[in-house]
Amino acid sequence: MQSDSPLTALKGVGPALAKKLGKLNLNRVDDLLFLLPLRYEDRTQLIEVGALEVGARCLVSGEILLAETVFRGRRNLLVRIGDSSSQLTLRFFHFSRQQQAQFQPGSHATCFGEVRRGQSGFEMIHPEYRITQEGQDAATTDSLTPIYPATEGVQQGRLRSLTDQALRLMQAAPPEELLPRAITEKLGMPSLADAINYLHRPPPDADIQQMLSGTHPCQQRLAFEELLAHYLSLRNLRALTATEDAIALTDGNEDVSGFVSELPFKLTGAQNRVVSDILSDLAEPHPMMRLIQGDVGSGKTVVAAVACLKAITCGVQTAIMAPTEILAEQHLRSFSDWFRPLGITPVWLSGSQRAALRRESLQSIAGGSAQLIIGTHALFQEGVDFHRLGLVIIDEQHRFGVHQRMALRDKGSSKNGRPHQLVMTATPIPRTLAMAAYADLDTSVINELPPGRQPVSTVAVPETRRSQVVERVRSACATGQQAYWVCPLIEESEVLDYQAAAASYQMLTEALPKLRVGLIHGRMRPVEKERGMRAFKEGLIQLLVATTVIEVGVDVPNASLMIIENAERMGLSQLHQLRGRVGRGAAQSHCVLLYKSPLGQIAKERLAVLRDTNDGFIVAQRDLELRGPGELLGTKQTGLPDYRIADLARDADLMPQVQISAEAIRKKSESRAAAIVRRWLGDASRYGKV
Ligand code: ADP
Ligand code: MG
């Protein structure tokens, strides 16, 4: 039998069980080797009853002293066992007459379960148990007992016996060692077979704490190889892009420098550097795939505008996609203003557009008279047919998974090849995480803010002091500044969401009768939102009450005070995004985080991070540590790879070595690289051929 045989080749696996195992993504014998235990139980030693500790899961044995049913709301079976040191109660809520009869005083029972404090001393609820005779050895095991991820209808015992079979097969035919010796030796890693064996059947002296935290060298060995496989597949994708055709955009250098010199400000050094990265990419006859990382307010939009202008002067169409209508409208306004002197008029496309206008937009896009198209996701829906799309810009993409990237690659492809792509993040991503998630993209970082910006000063204030905060809004607005008051999004319900914002709006209009207060929430029609936003931008509204719809991108430089309600409920990166709405002008800006006491430990740390730093990269790093990568990258939503073993929050620090090793392996043996990708990702065609 081969390790890549189907599971039905194993003893005891029929089609029905194979189907259930398929739900755990187990299809081949080999897959079982990579199904690692979630935790381990120590059944290697019998613990004396007198030495039990609350919370521990352990194996005990004792003489049955008493078995009785009592009525405590429902029938309970209580069995008392004891050894020379002490006594313990076993409690069963569900039991058969036959089970009850098994517990004969004088017999012995060996049990495994969690120790709790009961009404009369320690007890175990529904322990696993076995009836034994006096003097009969209560057999222990000689390795820690693995507990596997469960699936419906497959018992732990079954998974253990299947992995036993798979491990035996592995001894006979170990999986190929794909990591070069030079790498495993340098990093002091065990061989693949040793690591797998150890993790499935750890010896009694294994460091359980280390294994539970996922930092055991054997776990790190597997995590490393998995990260390597994903990295290699993304690198392949990048290599593939370099062989594809795109329209080389080489003309129009004077127009671009003319535009830059007419701007009301001078580009920062970082902006200039990123612009030149982009311009040299665009001049290549292969599609650009570039990610711009920059903190909130670092000036990503104007960089995008330069790229746009370059494309337009070279005679191709550019599409700019923003995640929300508010933001897309804002871009429409900025780009219209910037490009008006050049005679370029952006075309608008959104889902909520009236049919006649939409038809008009679609016609100009297909006919080619639309040079610059701005909109939301509607840009890439069915029925949008570009005449000659040369550049796609995706702004403030907070969550941009590999599948979305793959899907976008194909949009707008034509006989001229693929369009160039520029992606701008809404949230800085820690360097190691970016290595893992975006290895198929080239990255530029705008690591400098426009001059004259003062860091936003941030305070956390309990809700009980709300009236002081309202007072603060009043005095700030009295001096001509503007303020945001943000209510948290209530994910489950647009209605509740609206109610929360409406209640704050009412409270604030009553408390501040002299102020012009506006309200924006998710249930409004896009035109209404846009009207509210415009009024705020033009200063007609002084205080804008909003839900987190204004989270990304909104730019109103005169706003200098940000109040965030229920800040304890929001993630760090989101809070940093919201705070980034202020501090965009010359005035000193403030952010007040209103919270409900008492704060949990993580919430406390989050608020402290924001108080202590304005640097988005530091905030992102802390967010990664506190909440894991899912929140930063949106693993679930966008289908970023679900790792089997690696955990980016825990293992991101492996990435620099992963990167170095990947480059070395690629250089030395493409077939080796391909085998690594195949082992972990299956059919490599998903991310392009190796
Ligand atoms: P973000 O990177 O968050 O998208 P924006 O592109 O919205 O930032 O820019 C924030 C603000 O800074 C805008 O009002 C923009 O006009 C302004 N800005 C951009 N670059 C500069 C610069 N080099 N000097 C001064 N202000 C700038
Ligand atoms: Mg922006």
Side-chain angles (χ1 to χ4, degrees), residues 265-266 268 271 296-301 396 450 453 555 584:
F265 45 74
K266 222 168 132 271
T268 62
Q271 283 171 320
V296 287
S298 61
K300 295 183 285 286
T301 320
E396 302 287 6
R453 295 276 175 82
D555 183 43
R584 296 178 157 247

Side-chain angles (χ1 to χ4, degrees), residues 354-598:
R354 254 191 262 123
L357 290 175
R358 182 177 163 81
R359 211 169 317 120
E360 206 173 289
S361 292
L362 288 175
Q363 266 165 15
S364 66
I365 294 170
S369 62
Q371 297 168 291
L372 169 59
I373 305 101
I374 297 179
T376 55
H377 287 86
L379 277 180
F380 292 105
Q381 273 156 10
E382 206 80 16
V384 186
D385 188 14
F386 291 93
H387 177 70
R388 195 167 188 244
L389 184 62
L391 172 64
V392 173
I393 298 177
I394 299 164
D395 186 29
E396 302 287 6
Q397 228 355 300
H398 184 52
R399 299 177 159 171
F400 192 54
V402 68
H403 294 317
Q404 275 184 323
R405 261 158 20 227
M406 296 294 292
L408 264 177
R409 282 162 59 87
D410 297 327
K411 307 267 186 195
S413 301
S414 67
K415 61 180 189 319
N416 296 316
R418 296 186 191 281
H420 296 284
Q421 273 191 37
L422 187 64
V423 179
M424 305 197 285
T425 56
T427 300
I429 309 285
R431 197 177 66 94
T432 51
L433 191 54
M435 277 183 193
Y438 298 125
D440 58 328
L441 306 176
D442 294 306
T443 306
S444 303
V445 180
I446 307 184
N447 53 359
E448 184 184 350
L449 294 180
R453 295 276 175 82
Q454 302 175 49
V456 179
S457 92
T458 303
V459 290
V461 172
E463 234 183 11
T464 46
R465 284 167 46 202
R466 184 187 291 260
S467 57
Q468 289 170 25
V469 176
V470 172
E471 186 47 36
R472 192 161 171 180
V473 171
R474 198 192 58 72
S475 61
C477 292
T479 66
Q481 298 172 43
Q482 288 172 282
Y484 294 95
W485 187 290
V486 176
C487 316
L489 182 73
I490 298 170
E491 301 250 3
E492 314 83 63
S493 157
E494 269 194 354
V495 178
L496 289 181
D497 183 30
Y498 162 72
Q499 284 172 354
S504 299
Y505 174 74
Q506 190 175 358
M507 180 276 286
L508 288 163
T509 42
E510 280 165 16
L512 301 164
K514 294 214 180 98
L515 285 196
R516 296 183 301 275
V517 187
L519 172 64
I520 287 193
H521 58 80
R523 279 183 107 200
M524 279 171 140
R525 283 191 299 131
V527 279
E528 294 172 318
K529 279 189 226 167
E530 158 59 12
R531 200 175 300 138
M533 221 39 242
R534 191 184 292 260
F536 187 59
K537 203 158 206 170
E538 288 168 358
L540 301 174
I541 287 173
Q542 296 164 285
L543 171 63
L544 184 66
V545 181
T547 52
T548 51
V549 292
I550 58 140
E551 181 184 342
V552 291
V554 168
D555 183 43
V556 181
N558 190 50
S560 61
L561 178 58
M562 164 67 66
I563 316 292
I564 305 175
E565 276 197 89
N566 290 115
E568 79 282 355
R569 283 207 230 146
M570 295 189 212
L572 257 182
S573 295
Q574 189 181 21
L575 289 168
H576 180 68
Q577 260 299 328
L578 284 169
R579 175 172 64 175
R581 299 310 107 219
V582 298
R584 296 178 157 247
Q588 168 67 54
S589 292
H590 299 273
C591 175
V592 179
L593 305 170
L594 269 177
Y595 65 85
K596 221 186 222 112
S597 311

